Amino acid sequence: EAGVAQSPRYKIIEKRQSVAFWCNPISGHATLYWYQQILGQGPKLLIQFQNNGVVDDSQLPKDRFSAERLKGVDSTLKIQPAKLEDSAVYLCASSLDLPARLAGGRLSYNEQFFGPGTRLTVL
Amino acid sequence: GQQLNQSPQSMFIQEGEDVSMNCTSSSIFNTWLWYKQDPGEGPVLLIALYKAGELTSNGRLTAQFGITRKDSFLNISASIPSDVGIYFCAGLITGGFKTIFGAGTRLFVKA
């Protein structure tokens, strides 16, 4: 089974330029996530899609970042204009579905499968 | 906001040694997760924990969900060189669908 595909793997741009990243999730996965991982830190969720709808984008800097998943399959993340502090690895992940509520209020976790990431350097 | 604190930040051990790392939070989580990230790759899920007090194993890895639901630990027994990497704890926030990650524990194994 093919994993999550991301491109490009590396990108170097100057500040104030624009950049776009592409993600193709595992076939049949309804939920897609974009994370930002700054060097030395854990992944931070930027945006989460369920099919082509946004579930959570509370940590997406909407003045410069945008993302779409128009047909509910692959997705693009754009930064316009880029800042120095945007230098990071951008990880895409997908899961079969959102967590499901079980009896007693527990949530069942659907494993998130991560792509290899795109390493962005802003000079 | 909710945060996960991992310790130690890094560990240098000899092959064959056992390793223990933990994760704490001031908030309650209903699901605890442990991921491993190899250089140049995305994180891979190792263990998922769903119930307070739960102890789960995956080969040489054992993880526990703390009774208070505010902590979790991961043990690796008889470490080998391919255990090198960054180990992240993560929690599924209560009432939502968002996963929060800790800053990671970097493990180095000397053969």
Side-chain angles (χ1 to χ4, degrees):
Chain A
E1 179 182 279
V4 175
Q6 290 189 247
S7 68
R9 289 297 309 271
Y10 305 92
K11 189 75 177 178
I12 300 174
I13 61 173
E14 294 191 348
K15 60 183 179 184
R16 291 188 288 274
Q17 285 188 323
S18 302
V19 64
F21 312 127
W22 175 82
C23 173
N24 187 242
I26 293 173
S27 177
H29 280 195
T31 315
L32 185 147
Y33 314 77
W34 282 103
Y35 288 88
Q36 181 192 58
Q37 186 176 21
I38 292 172
L39 187 64
Q41 298 182 18
K44 181 183 89 170
L45 181 70
L46 293 175
I47 190 167
Q48 181 174 337
F49 292 95
Q50 178 69 1
N51 296 309
N52 60 354
V54 175
V55 174
D56 189 312
D57 63 356
S58 57
Q59 298 191 101
L60 187 74
K62 298 180 186 65
D63 58 334
R64 297 184 301 107
F65 285 63
S66 64
E68 59 183 17
R69 194 185 183 199
L70 290 176
K71 296 182 179 178
V73 181
D74 54 356
S75 175
T76 54
L77 175 70
K78 296 179 183 176
I79 308 175
Q80 181 179 8
K83 292 185 176 181
L84 296 176
E85 59 260 36
D86 298 332
S87 294
V89 174
Y90 290 84
L91 294 164
C92 179
S94 69
S95 63
L96 269 175
D97 208 334
L98 290 171
R101 294 208 180 275
L102 305 175
R106 282 175 47 201
L107 288 174
S108 74
Y109 181 73
N110 283 306
E111 180 176 354
Q112 292 183 36
F113 294 87
F114 285 81
T118 296
R119 182 176 296 278
L120 173 68
T121 302
V122 182
L123 302 175
Chain B
Q2 288 164 307
Q3 264 190 306
L4 297 179
N5 303 303
Q6 283 192 250
S7 65
Q9 282 189 322
S10 59
M11 303 181 74
F12 294 80
I13 62 169
Q14 287 285 136
E15 183 178 1
E17 287 184 357
D18 297 343
V19 171
S20 185
M21 57 191 79
N22 65 20
C23 189
T24 60
S25 175
S26 58
S27 304
I28 288 174
F29 287 87
N30 285 331
T31 303
W32 283 90
L33 309 160
W34 285 93
Y35 279 85
K36 183 192 178 201
Q37 186 174 29
D38 291 329
E41 302 293 331
V44 174
L45 182 66
L46 299 173
I47 292 178
L49 301 158
Y50 300 104
K51 191 176 174 183
E54 179 181 355
L55 188 71
T56 298
S57 293
N58 178 6
R60 294 178 296 106
L61 277 60
T62 303
Q64 184 158 29
F65 191 143
I67 290 291
T68 64
R69 294 197 286 158
K70 293 183 179 181
D71 62 344
S72 176
F73 72 75
L74 175 71
N75 284 346
I76 305 173
S77 63
S79 58
I80 59 178
S82 61
D83 291 334
V84 166
I86 307 175
Y87 291 81
F88 291 102
C89 65
L92 196 61
I93 63 170
T94 307
F97 302 119
K98 186 158 60 178
T99 305
I100 307 292
F101 284 80
T105 292
R106 284 145 188 80
L107 179 64
F108 302 89
V109 180
K110 185 176 178 183

